[in-house]
């Protein structure tokens, strides 16, 4: 390995593993045991299949397969695939096929000219995910969530953390897309279908990965098709309500996408295509933020001293007792806690591409059709890039150490022309949600020892995390 630990390592100089919390993650094992485990057990979670060598090398062939699978965890190689040769490594056929029932050939999965056209037409809609514009909607959704949680506390019931946060982030993005809140009854149907979709679409059928050729995509299971149809029906219905309604003057993502027009050619989206892009915003815009927040709340429930530190920061920066836009911009410790959760559990832990040509990556010969997986999960836990990589240490994101990041070592939002368009939006909403909920509630995890991550589209808890909440004493007495 030529990587210099001194030039790349990030982390607090006083951070020693003994003092730092290690959040749940599978302990990597050798390549052969990992393969045997995947063959002889039903547990085919990608996180458990990664051999320990992957956390030390730049590029790794993954198992034996007809098409070839390569894992990339090196800043320079990530740049090659996602920036310098982006057209030679388009979105992977298996991922495109998996998401097609939800978004067809929409923005997130399209490539080349199709993507460039969509991106051009969708551009005006990005004004609605500017943080200043969206902040009020975020506050309103957090108000609703607080009321719901307070009712839960009064009933003395634990709640499903993942579901609570998914409903909150979905409500935020729903208000940004459609200018209205996500009704509770629709949310329940939506999340049940979404949970089924995520679980069934990501079942790794090892034989298919090993035996199939590139672009020979497998048929989807009935569970995938049925759950996707339920999700799409909700989104299509919202779009239909807008196009058939008499109300006008909307100022939101839905309106901008429906009325998008290329000024030179006059090109516009057809109705179905417009609905595909709206579905992309809804799906990409809620699950990702919710899953990192789930990890962040869980970790903080295990780290009371850290929570106390965040509460002091929040208390100091509130304005007239409220968490305002200005407060959120200055909450650096809260933001760093979220960034550290994002490092350990990047929702898109594996970003798959396909090689269009016979080529070479980091000294490995790559055949056309090889699945090239850029892995933020491995990169963010790489032993040559991070000190104490498996430990929770938000100080690594403090301003003076942040500058030492090597470009490409921290890529939760991707890189290059396909980088996430909602990163500032996600950072703002996550910091706001953490600040408001931590300030008001005390959270206790019901069964922390059962919590383990799994890779199902996003990196999420294998079992729902049950939390108990209570209202903080200061809220009951009215004193800080
Ligand atoms: C913590 C939260 C989020 C994470 C970690 C995340 C991560 C990512 C990543 C890694 C990509 C690139 C995927 C690739 O290269 O194949 C992406 C693309 C995208 N994201 Fe996000 N995202 C987040 C939140 C959001 C939000 C809040 C929105 C919208 C409101 C959003 C909208 C999109 C869209 C539209 C794309 C496709 C861009 C394109 O291909 O042109 N994301 N996201």
């Amino acid at each position: 390995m030529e990587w210099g630990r001194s030039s790349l390592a990030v982390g607090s100089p006083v951070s020693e593993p003994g003092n730092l919390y290690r959040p749940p993650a599978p302990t990597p094992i050798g390549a052969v045991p990992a393969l045997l485990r995947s063959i002889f057990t039903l547990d085919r979670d990608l996180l458990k299949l990664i051999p320990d060598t992957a956390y030390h090398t730049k590029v790794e062939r993954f198992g034996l397969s007809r098409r070839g699978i390569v894992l990339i965890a090196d800043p320079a190689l990530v740049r090659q695939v996602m920036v310098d040769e982006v057209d030679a490594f388009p979105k992977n056929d298996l991922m495109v096929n998996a998401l097609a029932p939800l978004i067809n050939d929409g923005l997130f999965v399209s490539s080349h000219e199709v993507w460039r056209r969509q991106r051009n037409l969708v551009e005006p809609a990005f004004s609605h995910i500017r943080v200043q514009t969206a902040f009020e909607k975020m506050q309103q959704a957090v108000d609703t969530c607080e009321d719901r949680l307070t009712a839960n506390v009064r009933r003395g019931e634990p709640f499903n953390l993942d579901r609570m946060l998914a409903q909150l982030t979905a409500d935020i993005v729903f208000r940004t897309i459609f200018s209205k809140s996500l009704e509770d009854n629709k949310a329940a149907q939506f999340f049940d279908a979404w949970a089924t979709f995520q679980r069934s679409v990501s079942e790794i059928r090892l034989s298919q990965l090993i035996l199939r050729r590139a672009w020979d995509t497998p048929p989807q299971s009935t569970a995938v098709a049925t759950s996707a149809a339920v999700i799409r029906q909700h989104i299509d219905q919202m779009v239909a309500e807008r196009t058939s309604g008499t109300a006008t003057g909307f100022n939101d993502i839905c309106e901008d996408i429906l009325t998008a027009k290329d000024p030179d050619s006059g090109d516009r989206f057809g109705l179905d295509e417009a609905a595909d892009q709206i579905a992309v915003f809804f799906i990409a815009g809620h699950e990702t933020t919710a899953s990192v927040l789930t990890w962040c709340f869980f970790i903080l429930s295990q780290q009371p001293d850290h929570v106390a530190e965040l509460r002091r920061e929040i208390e100091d920066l509130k304005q007239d007792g409220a968490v305002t836009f200005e407060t959120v911009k200055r909450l650096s410790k809260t933001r760093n806690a979220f960034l550290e959760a994002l490092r350990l559990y990047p929702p898109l832990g594996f970003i798959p591409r396909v090689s269009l040509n016979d080529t070479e990556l980091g000294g490995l010969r790559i055949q056309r059709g090889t699945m090239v997986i850029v892995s933020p999960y491995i990169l963010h836990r790489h032993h040559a890039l991070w000190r104490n990589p498996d430990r929770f240490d938000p100080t690594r994101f403090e301003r003076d150490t942040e500058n030492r990041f090597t470009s490409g070592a921290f890529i939760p939002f991707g890189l290059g022309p396909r980088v996430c368009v909602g990163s500032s939006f996600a950072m703002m909403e996550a910091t706001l949600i953490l600040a408001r909920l931590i300030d008001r509630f005390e959270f206790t995890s019901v069964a922390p020892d059962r919590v383990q991550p799994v890779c199902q589209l996003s990196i999420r808890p294998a079992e729902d995390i049950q939390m108990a909440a209570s209202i903080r004493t200061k809220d009951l007495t009215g004193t800080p």
Side-chain angles (χ1 to χ4, degrees):
M1 294 281 321
E2 314 86 349
W3 286 337
R5 181 171 272 267
S6 58
S7 62
L8 295 178
V10 286
S12 154
V14 291
S15 299
E16 291 307 325
N19 306 328
L20 293 167
Y21 171 59
R22 183 187 190 279
T27 304
I29 56 176
V32 175
L35 191 66
L36 291 176
R37 175 155 77 185
S38 73
I39 292 170
F40 291 109
T41 73
L42 288 176
D43 188 358
R44 284 164 188 176
D45 171 31
L46 190 52
L47 297 184
K48 295 200 190 111
L49 297 186
I50 303 167
D52 49 7
T53 45
Y55 298 92
H56 298 268
T57 49
K58 297 179 175 191
V59 54
E60 177 99 3
R61 270 195 209 287
F62 186 59
L64 291 171
S65 63
R66 191 166 185 181
R67 68 181 301 172
I69 304 174
V70 165
L71 284 173
I72 303 275
D74 165 58
L77 294 178
V78 168
R79 252 201 115 64
Q80 183 181 343
V81 171
M82 299 185 96
V83 184
D84 302 337
E85 297 176 24
V86 62
D87 281 344
F89 296 99
K91 300 275 176 155
N92 183 270
D93 44 296
L94 279 179
M95 186 187 74
V96 174
N97 181 52
L99 293 178
L102 282 184
I103 55 177
N104 293 309
D105 196 15
L107 192 62
F108 193 84
V109 290
S110 56
S111 292
H112 304 131
E113 276 317 305
V114 178
W115 171 74
R116 277 185 266 276
R117 169 178 174 264
Q118 290 169 346
R119 186 66 188 240
N120 185 29
L121 283 175
V122 152
E123 201 74 37
F126 294 161
S127 66
H128 301 288
I129 51 174
R130 285 199 196 112
V131 289
Q132 217 146 359
T133 320
F135 191 73
E136 204 184 318
K137 293 175 177 170
M138 293 179 185
Q139 288 278 34
Q140 290 160 355
V142 182
D143 289 343
T144 310
C145 173
E146 275 197 3
D147 292 347
R148 207 179 290 126
L149 211 47
T150 304
N152 232 312
V153 170
R154 300 231 159 90
R155 287 196 300 272
E157 292 167 359
F159 63 95
N160 176 337
L161 178 67
D162 197 24
R163 174 75 72 116
M164 186 270 281
L165 291 166
Q167 184 158 3
L168 171 53
T169 55
D171 191 19
I172 290 175
V173 82
F174 202 82
R175 287 169 192 259
T176 314
I177 297 172
F178 296 116
S179 300
K180 61 195 278 194
S181 61
L182 179 61
E183 294 160 27
D184 279 3
N185 62 338
K186 285 198 177 149
Q189 292 166 6
F190 177 86
F191 290 120
D192 288 341
W194 177 250
T196 310
F197 180 82
Q198 260 188 312
R199 211 177 30 250
S200 25
V201 85
S202 29
E203 273 169 8
I204 301 175
R205 272 164 279 168
L206 217 58
S207 57
Q208 292 188 341
L209 267 183
I210 294 171
L211 297 175
R212 281 190 185 259
R213 292 175 193 277
W215 297 287
D216 171 15
T217 46
Q220 298 288 6
S221 69
T222 317
V224 169
T226 321
S227 53
V230 172
I231 296 166
R232 244 341 255 261
Q233 196 192 347
H234 282 296
I235 295 167
D236 292 349
Q237 197 184 334
M238 290 301 301
V239 175
E241 274 173 31
R242 177 65 63 86
T243 51
S244 61
T246 48
T248 54
F250 288 99
N251 183 15
D252 52 28
I253 292 182
C254 180
E255 197 64 16
D256 278 358
I257 290 181
L258 287 171
T259 57
K261 188 173 173 182
D262 185 298
D264 301 323
S265 63
D267 180 25
R268 313 178 64 139
F269 284 130
L271 197 54
D272 289 345
E273 266 183 308
D276 291 343
Q277 316 312 324
I278 290 167
V280 167
F281 272 91
F282 188 56
I283 287 156
H286 85 278
E287 162 67 17
T288 41
T289 317
S291 68
V292 196
L293 276 170
T294 302
W295 289 111
C296 200
F297 274 100
F298 172 73
I299 291 171
L300 291 175
S301 75
Q302 306 301 298
Q303 296 284 289
D305 290 349
H306 200 85
V307 177
E309 210 181 308
L310 299 189
R311 283 189 178 134
R312 279 194 291 277
E313 178 185 65
I314 297 161
E315 203 55 57
D316 283 351
L317 294 173
K318 279 199 289 193
Q319 295 180 316
D320 297 328
V323 177
T324 64
F325 184 68
E326 285 308 312
T327 310
V328 174
K329 280 203 299 189
R330 296 170 60 204
L331 285 171
S332 57
K333 284 186 193 299
T334 314
R335 173 178 160 271
N336 291 348
F338 181 75
L339 284 172
E340 181 65 341
L342 193 51
R343 180 185 72 84
L344 287 164
Y345 304 99
L348 302 186
F350 302 89
I351 304 179
R353 299 287 197 254
V354 56
S355 179
L356 286 188
N357 309 309
D358 291 343
T359 182
E360 188 249 295
L361 276 173
L364 276 193
R365 284 189 50 225
I366 305 285
Q367 282 186 323
R368 174 179 152 80
T370 298
M371 186 189 284
V372 175
I373 305 180
V374 172
S375 177
Y377 183 83
I378 300 174
L379 197 66
H380 292 179
R381 290 171 181 259
H382 204 289
H383 288 255
L385 294 165
W386 303 87
R387 186 176 297 163
N388 307 329
D390 296 322
R391 306 281 163 163
F392 180 72
D393 181 7
T395 62
R396 30 179 135 239
F397 289 99
E398 280 173 7
R399 206 164 280 283
D400 50 347
T401 46
E402 199 172 13
N403 294 338
R404 294 167 56 206
F405 277 46
T406 301
S407 173
F410 182 62
I411 55 157
F413 296 107
L415 199 71
R418 305 305 300 264
V419 74
C420 177
V421 297
S423 58
S424 309
F425 183 97
M427 288 306 303
M428 175 60 81
E429 70 172 324
T431 313
L432 172 70
I433 291 169
L434 280 166
R436 288 216 22 208
L437 298 187
I438 286 172
D439 187 44
R440 187 168 159 103
F441 299 97
E442 201 71 66
F443 294 100
T444 315
S445 169
V446 174
D449 296 344
R450 295 177 66 95
V451 176
Q452 275 299 323
V454 70
C455 182
Q456 287 183 349
L457 272 193
S458 64
I459 293 182
R460 54 181 320 278
E463 291 177 28
D464 295 334
I465 299 181
Q466 295 296 317
M467 277 278 178
S470 57
I471 297 175
R472 286 182 65 214
T473 320
K474 68 162 200 144
D475 286 309
L476 296 174
T477 61
T479 51

